Amino acid sequence: MASQGEVVPEKPTPGSRAGVRLGSAILENQKLKELEELQAERRRRVGYRKFEAYAASYSPDYVHPETGEKDGYAKHRRLMESKTTTSSAMSSNRCGKSAAGAFETTCHATGNYPSWWNGIRFDKPVSIWVAGITAKSTQEVIQFELLGELNTSFGTGMIPKDSIIGTKRMQGHTDTVETIYVRHVSGGVSVIGVKSMEQGRSKFQGTGKEFCWLDEEPDREAYDIYAECKARTMTTGGKVLLTFTPLKGMSELCKWLIDKKSDP
């Protein structure tokens, strides 16, 4: 029983003011939850169209919706469309090098090239190598760019979800993919081998490859690993793509690229 002068809270019964307030709060929470779910679904669907979005952004006809800048990715397109046996992007961080590498890798693996594409083309399934410096950096950069988040179904990266046939995990690294099987438009299957340069030159010896993408420059054997990848593409009419920030200074690899000496 309430003592004199004590305010007793109104019991939330149906039709009472407290009941109405409680019902309104519950309804508001439900609306917020539904909104969050819709926003999450929108992000997921947009994520599954990453290749499509980048293809539009890289187009020479693209106009930035906020700045009005025209053809702002001409340098990226020139890198990807280069028909030389080696193309490289030596530049600062956060300028889109890895995204461009993932985009070109996806084009060759799927055989799906945008209408503006003037670079080399492969009309049949290809064998590709992609490599970062360490297993961890490979997982965090290359795997993320190609496949998307690990804790979601793959397909939020550059390779469209319906083009991913399957993956194989790297031994000893449960979070890192070793092989990606990609559906080619010809009906066959392209194979992307995921490596780390810390494995050394010997792991880059083997059969021919149509395309190799090396992201960032390792502390050792950088030039030798590049030379091995170059040898793998010599008999296929393929290409090696290098994307890195030259943190090692004027290394042997940087010097060769800048001096434009004959291929090894």
Side-chain angles (χ1 to χ4, degrees):
M1 178 179 296
S3 61
Q4 186 176 5
E6 182 180 352
V7 178
V8 180
E10 183 180 356
K11 186 177 181 181
T13 58
S16 67
R17 286 176 298 177
V20 171
R21 287 195 298 269
L22 179 60
S24 298
I26 293 174
L27 182 60
E28 186 66 24
N29 287 335
Q30 289 176 340
K31 289 181 177 179
L32 288 173
K33 184 178 180 180
E34 290 174 359
L35 178 60
E36 290 174 355
E37 290 175 350
L38 287 172
Q39 290 175 336
E41 177 65 14
R42 180 180 180 277
R43 289 194 297 269
R44 184 186 68 82
R45 292 187 179 186
V46 170
Y48 285 140
R49 298 198 301 271
K50 188 173 183 177
F51 179 81
E52 179 183 332
Y54 272 79
S57 297
Y58 288 143
S59 169
D61 299 322
Y62 177 74
V63 179
H64 196 283
E66 296 180 4
T67 65
E69 181 183 11
K70 297 181 179 179
D71 197 13
Y73 293 96
K75 291 182 179 179
H76 299 73
R77 193 172 60 255
R78 187 162 63 247
L79 169 73
M80 296 182 290
E81 290 186 312
S82 172
K83 294 182 179 180
T84 59
T85 54
T86 297
S87 61
S88 62
M90 291 187 292
S91 58
S92 60
N93 290 315
R94 310 303 299 170
C95 64
K97 301 185 301 296
S98 297
F103 186 85
E104 183 172 2
T105 300
T106 299
C107 286
H108 299 320
T110 62
N112 182 19
Y113 298 92
S115 59
W116 48 259
W117 184 268
N118 290 315
I120 62 173
R121 292 172 178 259
F122 297 101
D123 57 7
K124 60 182 180 180
V126 294
S127 181
I128 293 174
W129 276 346
V130 297
I133 297 177
T134 66
K136 183 174 178 60
S137 67
T138 298
Q139 186 262 322
E140 292 178 344
V141 180
I142 293 180
Q143 178 178 304
F144 175 77
E145 290 289 350
L146 291 175
L147 297 173
E149 293 285 354
L150 181 67
N151 59 356
T152 63
S153 57
F154 285 147
T156 56
M158 199 67 74
I159 304 176
K161 184 177 178 64
D162 58 2
S163 295
I164 301 173
I165 296 175
T167 60
K168 178 183 177 182
R169 299 297 172 92
M170 184 179 292
Q171 186 175 5
H173 299 275
T174 57
D175 292 341
T176 304
V177 168
E178 181 179 58
T179 310
I180 308 170
Y181 301 96
V182 181
R183 181 176 291 103
H184 193 273
V185 294
S186 66
V189 179
S190 294
V191 179
I192 302 176
V194 184
K195 295 178 172 291
S196 62
M197 287 180 267
E198 68 180 356
Q199 295 174 304
R201 176 177 184 167
S202 63
K203 296 298 183 180
F204 289 82
Q205 297 173 346
T207 58
K209 303 293 172 184
E210 280 78 14
F211 185 70
C212 295
W213 169 32
L214 304 179
D215 189 57
E216 297 304 343
E217 184 183 18
D219 291 328
R220 60 184 180 85
E221 295 189 306
Y223 183 82
D224 292 338
I225 290 173
Y226 160 72
E228 288 294 342
C229 289
K230 184 68 175 176
R232 305 285 77 77
T233 60
M234 288 179 63
T235 59
T236 64
K239 173 183 175 181
V240 178
L241 174 64
L242 305 166
T243 56
F244 64 98
T245 300
L247 299 176
K248 314 301 178 187
M250 189 57 71
S251 63
E252 184 181 8
L253 178 60
C254 287
K255 190 174 188 304
W256 181 86
L257 292 169
I258 293 173
D259 291 346
K260 297 181 179 179
K261 293 183 179 179
S262 58
D263 290 351

